[in-house]
């Protein structure tokens, strides 16, 4: 792509590089005005293409509805999903076609649709289940077909009984899908905890859901799959919750991917003067932003604003070994001990007692009376661990070579 | 709108809690027992408690000033140490003793290691152990009869086996007499009478309310239990350590603590008498010095219970709560290392 190129909605502007990646599509029609590096919600600057809209919203010729969806096979469905640029919309943004192509050694017998909102404050999935239950269900059914799987569960927390009802009413006949109301607890929406809650299967430490025959997909992803298969539309928009006390009128939007957060905020009634923190995602696992000039990306489930009274900036105190973090950890780790190892950079030991099993859910840091920066240390520790692994790999390469 | 957003790692919200909140929770839980001690032993008890607290706070502040670290004497942890130290000494000791004990507790027991969170042993118990080693006579005899009760909780009917002692000491003595083949028949008859009195509903009631002799804050089961219930309700302590500790003592003393063979011990008496309730709920549960893993907590509690029972049965003192907890404090790092919980989805490594 170069400056001056004309694009339409759905025109491919970035090709997938390798199996674990997906193409990017233009989300509006117009003209490319810049190609370069711009601030990214996940931190730092990344390659981006700026498109100036022509106000026409005309769609690419490649976007055509299909009427033969019922006759498509698994392979064809997965190809459509890949070409539509679909990734997990729960937040991790992992390419969906990869999840739908497990190796033969890992037979999948159950698919779970994750309707347990991952974090407090966010309501994107809830709204989607209320407003588009039939399409979400159909998308889910397509995912099951792509996996050749007969059994499906929709897990929804029991504080959203309206969504439970709406989704139950939308179950296609003879589909083998069941909707289950789950206990309200954090982090119910985390994959491993969700699988445990619904199926009583424990994903082995260091393993993936497919190790226990399960694939988990998010509600938003299911809708994207439905639209890709039936309407032929690539992933060019998603639901984003804009919320927090400083927000004029907190709402859910379905902006085009690439919309600036700043303009979403305008739509949501603007901000009061005192905003201390802007978070892409939820309060427990989201990423703090330093500017509103970042685009909506595929993995952005919400933008949360916190006022000065809502954040705790007091410095940490020494750990008093109260064990609250231990009792709160859904992965049954010893956060206080891992933190101590990371702080002295005893990374081997930290990994041995579960550093890499930490899902960074934030529960431990949330309950810590000493405000230890536990998750911060774990992220740092994981980074060090990855570096060590890289070095070790290089070393053994060299040894082989010599 | 400012363009200066705070950027930091998740999570971005936290529960409204702090060391201070937890510590003052403990202080609040101790208030009923403080009031009780003043009722039972008079203003003298209050004076000793205040001196102990003052000494603890000043020591903390002065040492932190000297070390050039932030002064955190307001975080409540020194206050808790001060109260607990006073709770663990007899009410008849001279006024300077709680002061010396508190200074030792904070200086040697806590600040030497780096302050709150870094001390391996419970500072209050260490202070008490220091006092006991330095002034054993005062620390084991300066008992006062309690308001509305007597020293041992018994109205002795002209029996001379016991002259002055706490209920636990009396129990120890009569059990020994009954079990000793050299005792005269007369002595045994007397001892049995005392034993019956100790187990009488009147004596148990005294132990329950606290109208007996003992350390300043340890005697009233009911007041300590009220505070403990508050701590549990607030999740400042959890059930594993106190319940396993108490259960172990009660069972072992029932089995081995009786004068006439196995299974003749008075379980209820051993639950209520001495410093078990104070120790189990307020000192064994000290966060800094007890294990963090759930299994480790159980081992810790059982360990405290076994040691306390052994000391009560055959040790050099009638009571062993303090030493038991201190010993288990020493074992805490070891326990934590070997009781790491199984990670979610962790399978036993085969081969
Ligand atoms: S919650 Fe905080 S203070 Fe308590 S043990 Fe964990 S890290 Fe330490
Ligand atoms: S963030 Fe804390 S509570 Fe969550 S998995 Fe990691 S260690 Fe456990």
């Amino acid at each position: 792509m170069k400056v001056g190129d004309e694009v339409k909605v759905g025109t491919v502007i970035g090709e997938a590089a390798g199996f674990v990646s997906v193409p990017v599509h233009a989300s509006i029609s117009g003209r490319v005005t810049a190609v370069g590096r711009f601030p990214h919600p996940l931190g730092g600057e990344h390659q981006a293409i700026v498109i100036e809209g022509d106000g026409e919203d005309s769609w690419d010729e490649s976007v055509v509805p299909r009427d033969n969806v019922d006759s498509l096979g698994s392979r064809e469905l997965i190809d459509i999903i890949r070409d539509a640029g679909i990734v997990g919309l729960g937040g991790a943004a992992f390419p969906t076609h990869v999840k739908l192509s497990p190796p033969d050694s890992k037979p999948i017998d159950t698919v779970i649709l994750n309707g347990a909102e991952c974090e407090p404050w966010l309501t994107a999935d809830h709204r989607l289940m209320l407003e588009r239950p039939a399409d979400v269900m159909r998308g889910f059914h397509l995912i099951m077909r792509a996996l050749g799987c007969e059994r499906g569960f929709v897990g929804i927390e029991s504080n959203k009984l309206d969504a439970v009802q709406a989704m139950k009413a939308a179950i296609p006949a003879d589909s083998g899908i069941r909707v289950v109301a789950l206990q309200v607890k954090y982090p119910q929406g985390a994959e491993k905890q969700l699988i445990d809650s619904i199926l009583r299967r424990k994903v082995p430490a260091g393993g993936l859901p497919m190790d226990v025959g399960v694939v988990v997909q998010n509600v938003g992803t299911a809708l994207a799959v439905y639209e890709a298969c039936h309407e032929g539309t690539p992933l060019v928009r998603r639901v984003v919750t804009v919320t927090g006390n400083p927000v004029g009128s907190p709402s859910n939007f379905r902006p085009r991917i690439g919309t600036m957060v700043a303009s979403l905020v305008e739509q949501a009634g603007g901000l009061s003067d005192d905003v201390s923190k802007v978070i892409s995602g939820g309060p427990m696992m989201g990423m703090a932003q330093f500017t509103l000039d970042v685009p909506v990306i595929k993995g952005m489930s919400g933008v949360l604003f916190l006022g000065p009274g809502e954040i705790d900036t007091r410095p940490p105190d020494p750990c008093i070994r109260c064990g609250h973090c231990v009792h709160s950890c859904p992965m049954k780790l010893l956060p206080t001990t891992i933190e101590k190892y990371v702080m002295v950079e005893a990374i081997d030991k930290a990994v041995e007692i579960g550093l890499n099993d930490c899902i960074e859910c934030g529960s431990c840091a949330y309950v810590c009376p000493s405000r230890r920066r536990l998750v911060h240390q774990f992220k740092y520790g994981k980074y060090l661990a990855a570096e060590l692994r890289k070095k070790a790999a290089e070393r053994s390469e060299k040894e082989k070579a010599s | 709108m400012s363009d200066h957003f705070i950027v930091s790692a998740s999570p971005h919200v936290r529960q409204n809690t702090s060391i201070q909140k937890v510590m003052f929770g403990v202080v609040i839980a101790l208030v009923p027992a403080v009031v009780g001690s003043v009722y039972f032993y008079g203003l003298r008890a209050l004076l000793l408690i205040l001196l102990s607290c003052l000494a603890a706070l000043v020591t903390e502040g002065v040492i932190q000033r000297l070390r050039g670290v932030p002064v955190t004497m307001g975080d409540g942890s020194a206050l808790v140490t001060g109260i607990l130290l006073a709770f663990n000494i007899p009410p008849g000791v001279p006024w300077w003793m709680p002061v010396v004990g508190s200074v030792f507790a904070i200086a040697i027991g806590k600040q030497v290691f780096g302050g709150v969170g870094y001390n391996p042993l419970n500072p209050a118990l260490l202070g008490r152990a220091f006092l006991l080693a330095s002034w054993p006579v005062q620390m084991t005899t300066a008992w006062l009869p309690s308001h509305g009760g007597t020293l041992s909780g018994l109205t002795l009917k002209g029996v001379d086996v016991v002259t002055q002692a706490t209920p636990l000491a009396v129990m120890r003595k009569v059990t020994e007499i009954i079990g000793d083949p050299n005792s005269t028949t007369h002595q045994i008859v007397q001892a049995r009478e005392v034993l019956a009195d100790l187990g009488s509903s009147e004596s148990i009631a005294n132990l329950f309310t606290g109208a007996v002799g003992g350390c300043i804050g340890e005697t009233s089961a009911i007041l300590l239990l009220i505070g403990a219930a508050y701590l549990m309700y607030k999740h400042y302590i959890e059930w594993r350590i106190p319940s396993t500790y108490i259960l172990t003592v009660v069972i072992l003393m029932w089995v081995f603590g009786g004068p006439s063979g196995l299974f003749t011990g008075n379980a209820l008496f051993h639950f209520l008498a001495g410093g078990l309730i104070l120790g189990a709920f307020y000192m064994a549960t000290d966060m800094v010095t007890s294990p963090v893993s759930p299994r480790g907590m159980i081992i810790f509690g059982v360990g405290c219970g076994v040691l306390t029972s052994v000391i009560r049965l055959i040790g050099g003192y009638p009571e062993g709560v303090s030493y038991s907890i201190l010993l288990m404090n020493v074992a805490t790092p070891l326990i934590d290392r070997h009781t790491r919980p199984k990670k979610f989805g962790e399978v036993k490594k085969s081969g």
Side-chain angles (χ1 to χ4, degrees), chain A residues 54-81:
Chain A
D54 56 12
E56 300 280 323
D57 202 30
S58 48
W59 288 69
D60 198 87
E61 302 76 48
S62 63
V63 178
V64 276
R66 280 188 196 82
D67 43 20
N68 63 340
V69 177
D70 288 343
S71 62
L72 294 176
S74 161
R75 198 57 259 167
E76 289 149 309
L77 288 173
I78 292 174
D79 285 346
I80 293 173
I81 290 168

PDB file of all heavy atoms in Angstrom, chain A residues 54-81:
ATOM      1  N   ASP A  54     -13.967   8.610   2.312  1.00  0.00           N
ATOM      2  CA  ASP A  54     -14.622   9.408   1.276  1.00  0.00           C
ATOM      3  C   ASP A  54     -16.104   9.577   1.585  1.00  0.00           C
ATOM      4  O   ASP A  54     -16.861  10.144   0.811  1.00  0.00           O
ATOM      5  CB  ASP A  54     -14.435   8.761  -0.101  1.00  0.00           C
ATOM      6  CG  ASP A  54     -14.927   7.320  -0.135  1.00  0.00           C
ATOM      7  OD1 ASP A  54     -15.610   6.895   0.834  1.00  0.00           O
ATOM      8  OD2 ASP A  54     -14.633   6.605  -1.107  1.00  0.00           O
ATOM      9  N   GLY A  55     -16.531   9.051   2.733  1.00  0.00           N
ATOM     10  CA  GLY A  55     -17.916   9.206   3.128  1.00  0.00           C
ATOM     11  C   GLY A  55     -18.882   8.326   2.355  1.00  0.00           C
ATOM     12  O   GLY A  55     -20.082   8.357   2.580  1.00  0.00           O
ATOM     13  N   GLU A  56     -18.355   7.509   1.435  1.00  0.00           N
ATOM     14  CA  GLU A  56     -19.234   6.705   0.588  1.00  0.00           C
ATOM     15  C   GLU A  56     -19.582   5.373   1.244  1.00  0.00           C
ATOM     16  O   GLU A  56     -20.651   4.820   1.011  1.00  0.00           O
ATOM     17  CB  GLU A  56     -18.543   6.398  -0.752  1.00  0.00           C
ATOM     18  CG  GLU A  56     -18.167   7.627  -1.552  1.00  0.00           C
ATOM     19  CD  GLU A  56     -19.379   8.170  -2.291  1.00  0.00           C
ATOM     20  OE1 GLU A  56     -20.196   7.353  -2.760  1.00  0.00           O
ATOM     21  OE2 GLU A  56     -19.513   9.408  -2.359  1.00  0.00           O
ATOM     22  N   ASP A  57     -18.633   4.867   2.005  1.00  0.00           N
ATOM     23  CA  ASP A  57     -18.768   3.547   2.595  1.00  0.00           C
ATOM     24  C   ASP A  57     -19.110   2.491   1.529  1.00  0.00           C
ATOM     25  O   ASP A  57     -20.025   1.695   1.699  1.00  0.00           O
ATOM     26  CB  ASP A  57     -19.843   3.543   3.688  1.00  0.00           C
ATOM     27  CG  ASP A  57     -19.635   2.369   4.653  1.00  0.00           C
ATOM     28  OD1 ASP A  57     -18.469   1.970   4.825  1.00  0.00           O
ATOM     29  OD2 ASP A  57     -20.629   1.879   5.213  1.00  0.00           O
ATOM     30  N   SER A  58     -18.394   2.557   0.446  1.00  0.00           N
ATOM     31  CA  SER A  58     -18.651   1.544  -0.591  1.00  0.00           C
ATOM     32  C   SER A  58     -17.781   0.314  -0.337  1.00  0.00           C
ATOM     33  O   SER A  58     -16.632   0.433   0.092  1.00  0.00           O
ATOM     34  CB  SER A  58     -18.382   2.127  -1.970  1.00  0.00           C
ATOM     35  OG  SER A  58     -17.130   2.782  -1.973  1.00  0.00           O
ATOM     36  N   TRP A  59     -18.356  -0.843  -0.576  1.00  0.00           N
ATOM     37  CA  TRP A  59     -17.683  -2.088  -0.210  1.00  0.00           C
ATOM     38  C   TRP A  59     -16.929  -2.675  -1.382  1.00  0.00           C
ATOM     39  O   TRP A  59     -17.288  -2.480  -2.540  1.00  0.00           O
ATOM     40  CB  TRP A  59     -18.713  -3.103   0.314  1.00  0.00           C
ATOM     41  CG  TRP A  59     -19.229  -2.722   1.668  1.00  0.00           C
ATOM     42  CD1 TRP A  59     -20.026  -1.675   1.965  1.00  0.00           C
ATOM     43  CD2 TRP A  59     -18.939  -3.380   2.900  1.00  0.00           C
ATOM     44  NE1 TRP A  59     -20.274  -1.610   3.306  1.00  0.00           N
ATOM     45  CE2 TRP A  59     -19.619  -2.657   3.922  1.00  0.00           C
ATOM     46  CE3 TRP A  59     -18.185  -4.496   3.265  1.00  0.00           C
ATOM     47  CZ2 TRP A  59     -19.570  -3.031   5.265  1.00  0.00           C
ATOM     48  CZ3 TRP A  59     -18.135  -4.868   4.594  1.00  0.00           C
ATOM     49  CH2 TRP A  59     -18.819  -4.128   5.588  1.00  0.00           C
ATOM     50  N   ASP A  60     -15.898  -3.378  -1.049  1.00  0.00           N
ATOM     51  CA  ASP A  60     -15.070  -4.041  -2.043  1.00  0.00           C
ATOM     52  C   ASP A  60     -15.903  -5.074  -2.810  1.00  0.00           C
ATOM     53  O   ASP A  60     -16.823  -5.678  -2.253  1.00  0.00           O
ATOM     54  CB  ASP A  60     -13.903  -4.731  -1.327  1.00  0.00           C
ATOM     55  CG  ASP A  60     -12.771  -5.076  -2.250  1.00  0.00           C
ATOM     56  OD1 ASP A  60     -11.904  -4.196  -2.453  1.00  0.00           O
ATOM     57  OD2 ASP A  60     -12.758  -6.210  -2.767  1.00  0.00           O
ATOM     58  N   GLU A  61     -15.538  -5.288  -4.063  1.00  0.00           N
ATOM     59  CA  GLU A  61     -16.294  -6.249  -4.893  1.00  0.00           C
ATOM     60  C   GLU A  61     -16.212  -7.660  -4.319  1.00  0.00           C
ATOM     61  O   GLU A  61     -17.075  -8.495  -4.573  1.00  0.00           O
ATOM     62  CB  GLU A  61     -15.760  -6.293  -6.334  1.00  0.00           C
ATOM     63  CG  GLU A  61     -15.779  -4.980  -7.089  1.00  0.00           C
ATOM     64  CD  GLU A  61     -14.669  -4.048  -6.643  1.00  0.00           C
ATOM     65  OE1 GLU A  61     -13.510  -4.509  -6.546  1.00  0.00           O
ATOM     66  OE2 GLU A  61     -14.967  -2.871  -6.322  1.00  0.00           O
ATOM     67  N   SER A  62     -15.150  -7.908  -3.559  1.00  0.00           N
ATOM     68  CA  SER A  62     -14.991  -9.271  -3.025  1.00  0.00           C
ATOM     69  C   SER A  62     -16.026  -9.590  -1.948  1.00  0.00           C
ATOM     70  O   SER A  62     -16.215 -10.744  -1.584  1.00  0.00           O
ATOM     71  CB  SER A  62     -13.589  -9.444  -2.445  1.00  0.00           C
ATOM     72  OG  SER A  62     -13.418  -8.555  -1.357  1.00  0.00           O
ATOM     73  N   VAL A  63     -16.675  -8.558  -1.415  1.00  0.00           N
ATOM     74  CA  VAL A  63     -17.650  -8.802  -0.346  1.00  0.00           C
ATOM     75  C   VAL A  63     -19.005  -9.136  -0.954  1.00  0.00           C
ATOM     76  O   VAL A  63     -19.732  -8.267  -1.405  1.00  0.00           O
ATOM     77  CB  VAL A  63     -17.781  -7.566   0.569  1.00  0.00           C
ATOM     78  CG1 VAL A  63     -18.828  -7.813   1.655  1.00  0.00           C
ATOM     79  CG2 VAL A  63     -16.443  -7.227   1.187  1.00  0.00           C
ATOM     80  N   VAL A  64     -19.304 -10.424  -0.994  1.00  0.00           N
ATOM     81  CA  VAL A  64     -20.606 -10.846  -1.518  1.00  0.00           C
ATOM     82  C   VAL A  64     -21.220 -11.882  -0.594  1.00  0.00           C
ATOM     83  O   VAL A  64     -20.520 -12.786  -0.131  1.00  0.00           O
ATOM     84  CB  VAL A  64     -20.483 -11.450  -2.940  1.00  0.00           C
ATOM     85  CG1 VAL A  64     -20.482 -10.361  -3.985  1.00  0.00           C
ATOM     86  CG2 VAL A  64     -19.234 -12.315  -3.058  1.00  0.00           C
ATOM     87  N   PRO A  65     -22.510 -11.743  -0.313  1.00  0.00           N
ATOM     88  CA  PRO A  65     -23.172 -12.723   0.555  1.00  0.00           C
ATOM     89  C   PRO A  65     -23.127 -14.115  -0.076  1.00  0.00           C
ATOM     90  O   PRO A  65     -23.097 -14.249  -1.296  1.00  0.00           O
ATOM     91  CB  PRO A  65     -24.620 -12.218   0.619  1.00  0.00           C
ATOM     92  CG  PRO A  65     -24.567 -10.803   0.166  1.00  0.00           C
ATOM     93  CD  PRO A  65     -23.418 -10.680  -0.766  1.00  0.00           C
ATOM     94  N   ARG A  66     -23.114 -15.124   0.781  1.00  0.00           N
ATOM     95  CA  ARG A  66     -23.126 -16.516   0.289  1.00  0.00           C
ATOM     96  C   ARG A  66     -24.480 -17.118   0.601  1.00  0.00           C
ATOM     97  O   ARG A  66     -25.018 -16.896   1.675  1.00  0.00           O
ATOM     98  CB  ARG A  66     -22.064 -17.327   1.025  1.00  0.00           C
ATOM     99  CG  ARG A  66     -20.682 -17.149   0.500  1.00  0.00           C
ATOM    100  CD  ARG A  66     -19.731 -18.128   1.168  1.00  0.00           C
ATOM    101  NE  ARG A  66     -18.369 -17.666   0.908  1.00  0.00           N
ATOM    102  CZ  ARG A  66     -17.785 -16.719   1.615  1.00  0.00           C
ATOM    103  NH1 ARG A  66     -18.409 -16.179   2.636  1.00  0.00           N
ATOM    104  NH2 ARG A  66     -16.574 -16.312   1.297  1.00  0.00           N
ATOM    105  N   ASP A  67     -25.007 -17.911  -0.319  1.00  0.00           N
ATOM    106  CA  ASP A  67     -26.247 -18.605   0.050  1.00  0.00           C
ATOM    107  C   ASP A  67     -26.036 -20.101   0.147  1.00  0.00           C
ATOM    108  O   ASP A  67     -26.977 -20.853   0.338  1.00  0.00           O
ATOM    109  CB  ASP A  67     -27.384 -18.251  -0.912  1.00  0.00           C
ATOM    110  CG  ASP A  67     -26.906 -18.251  -2.345  1.00  0.00           C
ATOM    111  OD1 ASP A  67     -25.857 -18.890  -2.594  1.00  0.00           O
ATOM    112  OD2 ASP A  67     -27.561 -17.606  -3.192  1.00  0.00           O
ATOM    113  N   ASN A  68     -24.784 -20.524   0.034  1.00  0.00           N
ATOM    114  CA  ASN A  68     -24.520 -21.970   0.088  1.00  0.00           C
ATOM    115  C   ASN A  68     -23.842 -22.376   1.394  1.00  0.00           C
ATOM    116  O   ASN A  68     -23.187 -23.408   1.458  1.00  0.00           O
ATOM    117  CB  ASN A  68     -23.638 -22.381  -1.087  1.00  0.00           C
ATOM    118  CG  ASN A  68     -22.279 -21.694  -1.019  1.00  0.00           C
ATOM    119  OD1 ASN A  68     -22.139 -20.673  -0.347  1.00  0.00           O
ATOM    120  ND2 ASN A  68     -21.297 -22.251  -1.696  1.00  0.00           N
ATOM    121  N   VAL A  69     -23.984 -21.537   2.429  1.00  0.00           N
ATOM    122  CA  VAL A  69     -23.223 -21.787   3.662  1.00  0.00           C
ATOM    123  C   VAL A  69     -23.499 -23.176   4.225  1.00  0.00           C
ATOM    124  O   VAL A  69     -22.597 -23.857   4.708  1.00  0.00           O
ATOM    125  CB  VAL A  69     -23.552 -20.709   4.718  1.00  0.00           C
ATOM    126  CG1 VAL A  69     -22.829 -20.988   6.016  1.00  0.00           C
ATOM    127  CG2 VAL A  69     -23.189 -19.332   4.194  1.00  0.00           C
ATOM    128  N   ASP A  70     -24.757 -23.613   4.125  1.00  0.00           N
ATOM    129  CA  ASP A  70     -25.113 -24.895   4.726  1.00  0.00           C
ATOM    130  C   ASP A  70     -24.378 -26.072   4.088  1.00  0.00           C
ATOM    131  O   ASP A  70     -24.232 -27.116   4.707  1.00  0.00           O
ATOM    132  CB  ASP A  70     -26.626 -25.131   4.606  1.00  0.00           C
ATOM    133  CG  ASP A  70     -27.373 -24.210   5.559  1.00  0.00           C
ATOM    134  OD1 ASP A  70     -26.709 -23.694   6.482  1.00  0.00           O
ATOM    135  OD2 ASP A  70     -28.577 -23.993   5.358  1.00  0.00           O
ATOM    136  N   SER A  71     -23.905 -25.869   2.874  1.00  0.00           N
ATOM    137  CA  SER A  71     -23.268 -27.003   2.210  1.00  0.00           C
ATOM    138  C   SER A  71     -21.746 -26.958   2.308  1.00  0.00           C
ATOM    139  O   SER A  71     -21.058 -27.836   1.799  1.00  0.00           O
ATOM    140  CB  SER A  71     -23.695 -27.037   0.737  1.00  0.00           C
ATOM    141  OG  SER A  71     -23.257 -25.840   0.118  1.00  0.00           O
ATOM    142  N   LEU A  72     -21.217 -25.905   2.963  1.00  0.00           N
ATOM    143  CA  LEU A  72     -19.763 -25.784   3.030  1.00  0.00           C
ATOM    144  C   LEU A  72     -19.162 -26.795   4.005  1.00  0.00           C
ATOM    145  O   LEU A  72     -19.742 -27.088   5.044  1.00  0.00           O
ATOM    146  CB  LEU A  72     -19.358 -24.372   3.464  1.00  0.00           C
ATOM    147  CG  LEU A  72     -19.691 -23.257   2.473  1.00  0.00           C
ATOM    148  CD1 LEU A  72     -19.331 -21.908   3.070  1.00  0.00           C
ATOM    149  CD2 LEU A  72     -18.972 -23.471   1.140  1.00  0.00           C
ATOM    150  N   GLY A  73     -17.999 -27.289   3.672  1.00  0.00           N
ATOM    151  CA  GLY A  73     -17.304 -28.235   4.543  1.00  0.00           C
ATOM    152  C   GLY A  73     -16.386 -27.505   5.501  1.00  0.00           C
ATOM    153  O   GLY A  73     -16.213 -26.278   5.413  1.00  0.00           O
ATOM    154  N   SER A  74     -15.798 -28.276   6.382  1.00  0.00           N
ATOM    155  CA  SER A  74     -14.945 -27.718   7.420  1.00  0.00           C
ATOM    156  C   SER A  74     -13.804 -26.895   6.829  1.00  0.00           C
ATOM    157  O   SER A  74     -13.552 -25.765   7.222  1.00  0.00           O
ATOM    158  CB  SER A  74     -14.407 -28.871   8.269  1.00  0.00           C
ATOM    159  OG  SER A  74     -13.288 -28.456   8.977  1.00  0.00           O
ATOM    160  N   ARG A  75     -13.110 -27.470   5.853  1.00  0.00           N
ATOM    161  CA  ARG A  75     -11.955 -26.804   5.254  1.00  0.00           C
ATOM    162  C   ARG A  75     -12.352 -25.439   4.663  1.00  0.00           C
ATOM    163  O   ARG A  75     -11.690 -24.432   4.856  1.00  0.00           O
ATOM    164  CB  ARG A  75     -11.412 -27.746   4.163  1.00  0.00           C
ATOM    165  CG  ARG A  75     -10.008 -27.537   3.664  1.00  0.00           C
ATOM    166  CD  ARG A  75      -8.953 -27.573   4.721  1.00  0.00           C
ATOM    167  NE  ARG A  75      -8.550 -26.198   5.073  1.00  0.00           N
ATOM    168  CZ  ARG A  75      -7.828 -25.895   6.133  1.00  0.00           C
ATOM    169  NH1 ARG A  75      -7.455 -26.826   6.980  1.00  0.00           N
ATOM    170  NH2 ARG A  75      -7.499 -24.650   6.388  1.00  0.00           N
ATOM    171  N   GLU A  76     -13.483 -25.445   3.956  1.00  0.00           N
ATOM    172  CA  GLU A  76     -13.923 -24.194   3.317  1.00  0.00           C
ATOM    173  C   GLU A  76     -14.282 -23.135   4.361  1.00  0.00           C
ATOM    174  O   GLU A  76     -13.942 -21.964   4.220  1.00  0.00           O
ATOM    175  CB  GLU A  76     -15.126 -24.466   2.416  1.00  0.00           C
ATOM    176  CG  GLU A  76     -14.750 -25.242   1.162  1.00  0.00           C
ATOM    177  CD  GLU A  76     -15.878 -26.138   0.663  1.00  0.00           C
ATOM    178  OE1 GLU A  76     -16.430 -26.921   1.466  1.00  0.00           O
ATOM    179  OE2 GLU A  76     -16.220 -26.038  -0.505  1.00  0.00           O
ATOM    180  N   LEU A  77     -14.960 -23.579   5.408  1.00  0.00           N
ATOM    181  CA  LEU A  77     -15.327 -22.634   6.472  1.00  0.00           C
ATOM    182  C   LEU A  77     -14.072 -22.005   7.082  1.00  0.00           C
ATOM    183  O   LEU A  77     -13.994 -20.789   7.290  1.00  0.00           O
ATOM    184  CB  LEU A  77     -16.136 -23.343   7.568  1.00  0.00           C
ATOM    185  CG  LEU A  77     -17.573 -23.734   7.208  1.00  0.00           C
ATOM    186  CD1 LEU A  77     -18.187 -24.582   8.309  1.00  0.00           C
ATOM    187  CD2 LEU A  77     -18.425 -22.488   6.962  1.00  0.00           C
ATOM    188  N   ILE A  78     -13.093 -22.847   7.360  1.00  0.00           N
ATOM    189  CA  ILE A  78     -11.872 -22.336   7.995  1.00  0.00           C
ATOM    190  C   ILE A  78     -11.158 -21.358   7.062  1.00  0.00           C
ATOM    191  O   ILE A  78     -10.654 -20.317   7.502  1.00  0.00           O
ATOM    192  CB  ILE A  78     -10.948 -23.508   8.410  1.00  0.00           C
ATOM    193  CG1 ILE A  78     -11.613 -24.297   9.540  1.00  0.00           C
ATOM    194  CG2 ILE A  78      -9.585 -23.009   8.852  1.00  0.00           C
ATOM    195  CD1 ILE A  78     -10.885 -25.551   9.942  1.00  0.00           C
ATOM    196  N   ASP A  79     -11.160 -21.650   5.759  1.00  0.00           N
ATOM    197  CA  ASP A  79     -10.533 -20.723   4.812  1.00  0.00           C
ATOM    198  C   ASP A  79     -11.252 -19.379   4.799  1.00  0.00           C
ATOM    199  O   ASP A  79     -10.621 -18.320   4.772  1.00  0.00           O
ATOM    200  CB  ASP A  79     -10.547 -21.323   3.404  1.00  0.00           C
ATOM    201  CG  ASP A  79      -9.507 -22.432   3.269  1.00  0.00           C
ATOM    202  OD1 ASP A  79      -8.633 -22.517   4.156  1.00  0.00           O
ATOM    203  OD2 ASP A  79      -9.583 -23.217   2.304  1.00  0.00           O
ATOM    204  N   ILE A  80     -12.579 -19.428   4.820  1.00  0.00           N
ATOM    205  CA  ILE A  80     -13.347 -18.171   4.847  1.00  0.00           C
ATOM    206  C   ILE A  80     -12.980 -17.366   6.086  1.00  0.00           C
ATOM    207  O   ILE A  80     -12.741 -16.157   6.033  1.00  0.00           O
ATOM    208  CB  ILE A  80     -14.865 -18.467   4.846  1.00  0.00           C
ATOM    209  CG1 ILE A  80     -15.274 -19.099   3.515  1.00  0.00           C
ATOM    210  CG2 ILE A  80     -15.659 -17.187   5.109  1.00  0.00           C
ATOM    211  CD1 ILE A  80     -16.717 -19.579   3.482  1.00  0.00           C
ATOM    212  N   ILE A  81     -12.922 -18.074   7.227  1.00  0.00           N
ATOM    213  CA  ILE A  81     -12.626 -17.406   8.498  1.00  0.00           C
ATOM    214  C   ILE A  81     -11.242 -16.774   8.466  1.00  0.00           C
ATOM    215  O   ILE A  81     -11.045 -15.638   8.906  1.00  0.00           O
ATOM    216  CB  ILE A  81     -12.763 -18.415   9.664  1.00  0.00           C
ATOM    217  CG1 ILE A  81     -14.239 -18.776   9.852  1.00  0.00           C
ATOM    218  CG2 ILE A  81     -12.158 -17.871  10.944  1.00  0.00           C
ATOM    219  CD1 ILE A  81     -14.487 -19.952  10.764  1.00  0.00           C
TER     220      ILE A  81
END
